[in-house]
Amino acid sequence: MASRGLAQNAEHRAPMPAGRMIRLDMVGNLQQGNPRLRNAVKYDTVCLNVAISLALFATFSMMVVAAMLWLAPFKDFQATPEELQARKHHAIVAREQLQRAGGKLELSALEEVASERLAKQVDQEVHRLWVNYSSNTPQFLKHHKISETDLYGMLKSMPKGGLLHIHDAGMMKLDILIELTYRDDLWVCVGMNQVFENFRFSSAFPHIAPSEDYECIWMLMSNFHTFEWRGRYEKQIREGLVLQEGGYKDTAELARHMRRSHRLIHGLVTYQNLWSDFLFRMLEDFYRDGVQYVELRSSLPLLYDLKGTNFTILDTVNSIVTITKLFRSTYPDFIGVKLIYTPARDSNDSHMDQYVENARLLKSHFPNLFAGLDLNTFGDECQLPGLVEATQLLHLGEEIDFYFQAGESRCPNMAKPHANLIDAVLLGSKRIGGALNLPLHPDILRTMRHMQVAVEVCPLSNHYLQYVQDFSQHPAAYLLAAGYPIVLGSDYPHFWNAAPLTDDFYVAFVGIVSGQGNLRLLKQLALNSFLYSSLNCEERTAAIFQWRCKWNRWIEEFVNQNKSVRAEDAL
């Protein structure tokens, strides 16, 4: 009876949904002691709940985004034309600031403070320097003593990192060179037009034949001291050693003057008793100017003694290694020196085989010092063979790194400088020096950005070599604005009485970027000098660490100094 009653009651119940029955069956199985199935069911249930939640969230998000997109036109529709113009203008400025060199660098809180104070200082400086500017006259360098400005003093003390484009012949101060001409046993080779062509220390008449570039006669310098008025004589020396601003009719005349300056300087400083002192003074000048690392370009002139003995190219480089070690023992935060062998090209590349042999010799004997090879044109690509004509270079690229200067000369026919720039990139040059015509080559620009090939920019050299009159129109202005990798160099700073690097930083900061300069740019330029150097990965990491320590101290000093100045002004 009981069982029958139960059966009747079951017949009168509402039918159970299929899903519910499946659930009950599963529960029945679970109750029969199947733990793996029980866990699987729990997991499936959780996954189902999560999936539903995610679907709901995605649907809601899409609705919000759609609403925002739908309402955006109404927001712009409600804005005035002035507001729309200002909004679009601000968006473009913001995007361009990010694209500029240094635009994406993150600054610390203290650096942000320093950046704001620097901006105010720059605004005042730029206004003062450009207020009387006219594009028909040379840049402001003639009218203002930039070394006496606050901005120059700030840049002078700033840790600039590395100096990647400078020649040894441009690193001896003019007054020191003139003092050397009063030493005993110095001979001078005087040209037909009474121009000094060469110097040589010797205990006897120097039997050195002039080259095909010039003719001269050797005589003792003491004769000039006896019979020539000192002021006139020193004026003649200065004219032979420095570059006269805008004083050359064409690139060929300028190149002849540059070659003569090289001969005169090397004739003085490569006297064995003076060479080491010259190197140490050169490194001191770098260090005092905020430079911690140098890639020195040198033709590696042979050292000589009073007896007329010529030493080897290895002796010249050995002395660089020795003096650098001595200097670092005195200044341990100086990172060091690398060498870019930079012999001079001639009209038929008759010495190219010797240059290639020297480069291989240097790399085998000084692998830690030797960085690579450049060829000095003295700014006269017009008269010299193109890079591609030096076929030895095509077979050397896998052994030796190149650091070519190309595309900088000013010729009646610019075909050769343009071709040299293209060939320098195709030859795998690690950096390109000068390259003033680079913005005219969009394909090369894309390649350089992709391959991370930096451009070496030497603003003052470009001006004194008569390439750039108006710094605000310098091709580097575009490269910096577009965020291409740039490193600042100075080429031959003492040829125009400039500091090793500060003057070029100043001109780039005030002249080239034209009011767009800021702390991010300065920091990026300093970092670039390591990122695009010939240092290997380990050396680069250590160098940046050493530089960053000095940079952080400098930032702190700059901020504190500005606080003191503002406090004094308040009193």
Side-chain angles (χ1 to χ4, degrees):
M1 293 289 293
S3 60
R4 185 179 179 182
L6 289 173
Q8 289 177 349
N9 290 337
E11 291 175 0
H12 293 287
R13 290 177 185 162
M16 187 176 295
R20 177 65 176 164
M21 291 181 67
I22 292 173
R23 176 65 183 163
L24 288 174
D25 289 341
M26 293 175 66
V27 172
N29 288 334
L30 290 175
Q31 291 174 346
Q32 292 176 6
N34 191 339
R36 292 182 62 184
L37 183 59
R38 182 167 59 249
N39 291 336
V41 171
K42 289 181 179 179
Y43 177 76
D44 290 342
T45 304
V46 171
C47 288
L48 180 63
N49 293 336
V50 171
I52 293 172
S53 300
L54 290 175
L56 290 173
F57 178 76
T59 303
F60 177 75
S61 300
M62 292 176 64
M63 292 174 63
V64 170
V65 171
M68 292 175 64
L69 293 174
W70 185 71
L71 291 174
F74 287 96
K75 182 179 179 182
D76 287 343
F77 180 77
Q78 293 174 353
T80 64
E82 291 80 4
E83 290 173 336
L84 278 175
Q85 175 72 10
R87 191 180 304 158
K88 293 175 181 178
H89 181 94
H90 177 75
I92 291 175
V93 170
R95 286 198 300 270
E96 288 186 343
Q97 286 177 342
L98 282 176
Q99 292 173 3
R100 296 186 69 86
K104 297 177 183 177
L105 278 182
E106 292 186 5
L107 300 183
S108 67
L110 197 60
E111 284 176 322
E112 290 286 3
V113 175
S115 183
E116 292 178 7
R117 295 179 183 174
L118 174 63
K120 295 178 181 178
Q121 186 171 314
V122 170
D123 287 343
Q124 297 173 358
E125 189 95 352
V126 170
H127 175 74
R128 185 168 71 253
L129 290 172
W130 287 79
V131 65
N132 296 318
Y133 172 71
S134 169
S135 60
N136 298 322
T137 60
Q139 190 51 278
F140 48 75
L141 298 178
K142 274 190 172 182
H143 311 294
H144 299 272
K145 295 182 178 179
I146 62 175
S147 60
E148 297 176 2
T149 64
D150 293 337
L151 178 59
Y152 185 93
M154 184 275 291
L155 292 172
K156 178 80 172 175
S157 64
M158 185 187 85
K160 302 171 190 64
L163 174 50
L164 306 186
H165 191 118
I166 190 166
H167 295 261
D168 59 356
M171 273 310 302
M172 179 61 89
K173 292 180 179 178
L174 189 58
D175 291 339
I176 296 176
L177 290 172
I178 291 177
E179 287 177 14
L180 294 180
T181 65
Y182 287 95
R183 291 205 173 204
D184 295 335
D185 299 316
L186 180 63
W187 295 73
V188 61
C189 204
V190 183
M192 301 301 105
N193 54 356
Q194 298 301 304
V195 173
F196 294 163
E197 293 285 0
N198 206 347
F199 285 121
R200 183 83 172 187
F201 285 96
S202 178
S203 57
F205 183 89
H207 295 280
I208 303 173
S211 73
E212 59 184 17
D213 296 335
Y214 63 95
E215 294 182 359
C216 61
I217 299 173
W218 288 100
M219 59 182 64
L220 277 169
M221 277 299 301
S222 57
N223 292 337
F224 282 89
H225 302 156
T226 302
F227 301 108
E228 188 69 78
W229 176 52
R230 178 167 181 162
R232 180 178 175 183
Y233 150 71
E234 291 191 358
K235 180 176 180 292
Q236 188 175 355
I237 290 283
R238 290 178 186 275
E239 289 176 351
L241 295 176
V242 303
L243 288 184
Q244 305 298 324
E245 189 174 17
Y248 308 96
K249 63 181 181 181
D250 54 30
T251 57
E253 182 182 9
L254 176 60
R256 284 194 297 272
H257 181 86
M258 293 280 286
R259 291 176 187 272
R260 182 168 63 248
S261 298
H262 266 247
R263 284 197 305 272
L264 292 171
I265 293 169
H266 282 152
L268 290 171
V269 302
T270 55
Y271 173 39
Q272 189 188 32
N273 292 359
L274 297 176
W275 178 247
S276 295
D277 184 55
F278 160 68
L279 292 176
F280 198 90
R281 288 192 182 197
M282 179 180 67
L283 295 180
E284 282 184 323
D285 282 346
F286 292 142
Y287 188 78
R288 282 195 293 263
D289 203 46
V291 174
Q292 288 178 269
Y293 168 73
V294 181
E295 292 190 0
L296 185 67
R297 279 171 162 85
S298 176
S299 62
L300 298 178
L302 301 183
L303 305 182
Y304 68 92
D305 62 17
L306 285 178
K307 297 179 180 180
T309 304
N310 283 328
F311 297 87
T312 70
I313 192 173
L314 297 180
D315 294 317
T316 304
V317 181
N318 257 320
S319 60
I320 296 176
V321 174
T322 301
I323 295 302
T324 302
K325 288 181 179 178
L326 177 62
F327 188 82
R328 291 190 66 194
S329 68
T330 308
Y331 302 93
D333 57 343
F334 184 75
I335 294 163
V337 174
K338 297 277 187 182
L339 173 69
I340 298 176
Y341 177 45
T342 312
R345 299 192 71 177
D346 55 31
S347 58
N348 56 12
D349 282 338
S350 58
H351 302 291
M352 189 61 68
D353 289 335
Q354 183 63 54
Y355 296 160
V356 170
E357 183 181 339
N358 287 345
R360 287 174 171 147
L361 185 70
L362 293 168
K363 185 174 181 179
S364 64
H365 282 75
F366 304 96
N368 295 326
L369 175 74
F370 180 71
L373 174 71
D374 186 14
L375 297 170
N376 199 343
T377 65
F378 297 102
D380 189 19
E381 293 172 279
C382 318
Q383 308 298 323
L384 297 176
L387 276 175
V388 74
E389 296 178 51
T391 55
Q392 298 93 329
L393 300 176
L394 295 172
H395 308 285
L396 193 63
E398 294 183 0
E399 304 174 51
I400 304 294
D401 287 338
F402 297 139
Y403 294 88
F404 291 131
Q405 186 154 337
E408 187 179 42
S409 301
R410 178 169 297 182
C411 310
N413 180 358
M414 287 295 291
K416 189 170 290 183
H418 285 295
N420 280 339
L421 175 60
I422 295 171
D423 288 330
V425 174
L426 291 177
L427 285 167
S429 187
K430 301 300 181 183
R431 297 191 301 270
I432 304 293
L436 296 178
N437 57 359
L438 186 57
L440 301 178
H441 296 274
D443 196 53
I444 293 297
L445 275 172
R446 284 192 294 269
T447 300
M448 291 180 66
R449 188 191 287 276
H450 176 71
M451 300 299 294
Q452 287 294 289
V453 176
V455 182
E456 301 167 347
V457 177
C458 304
L460 281 175
S461 175
N462 298 152
H463 176 68
Y464 282 95
L465 295 181
Q466 302 178 189
Y467 302 138
V468 176
Q469 191 81 339
D470 181 354
F471 285 119
S472 67
Q473 300 301 314
H474 195 292
Y478 164 72
L479 300 178
L480 287 167
Y484 286 94
I486 293 289
V487 293
L488 287 186
S490 53
D491 213 11
Y492 295 92
H494 287 332
F495 276 22
W496 35 83
N497 196 32
L501 193 53
T502 298
D503 292 64
D504 287 275
F505 256 86
Y506 183 93
V507 170
F509 198 65
V510 172
I512 294 178
V513 299
S514 299
Q516 296 293 324
N518 52 44
L519 190 68
R520 283 181 170 83
L521 173 62
L522 294 178
K523 188 175 183 179
Q524 187 68 67
L525 290 173
L527 283 170
N528 284 353
S529 68
F530 296 119
L531 297 175
Y532 300 98
S533 70
S534 65
L535 295 168
N536 62 38
C537 186
E538 184 178 349
E539 292 171 331
R540 187 180 300 117
T541 301
I544 292 177
F545 177 80
Q546 283 188 287
W547 167 81
R548 199 180 297 277
C549 291
K550 296 194 75 168
W551 173 268
N552 291 337
R553 286 198 300 269
W554 175 76
I555 288 291
E556 187 175 352
E557 291 170 0
F558 177 69
V559 171
N560 290 336
Q561 182 181 10
N562 274 265
K563 284 181 181 178
S564 301
V565 170
R566 292 198 302 172
E568 291 175 3
D569 292 341
L571 293 175

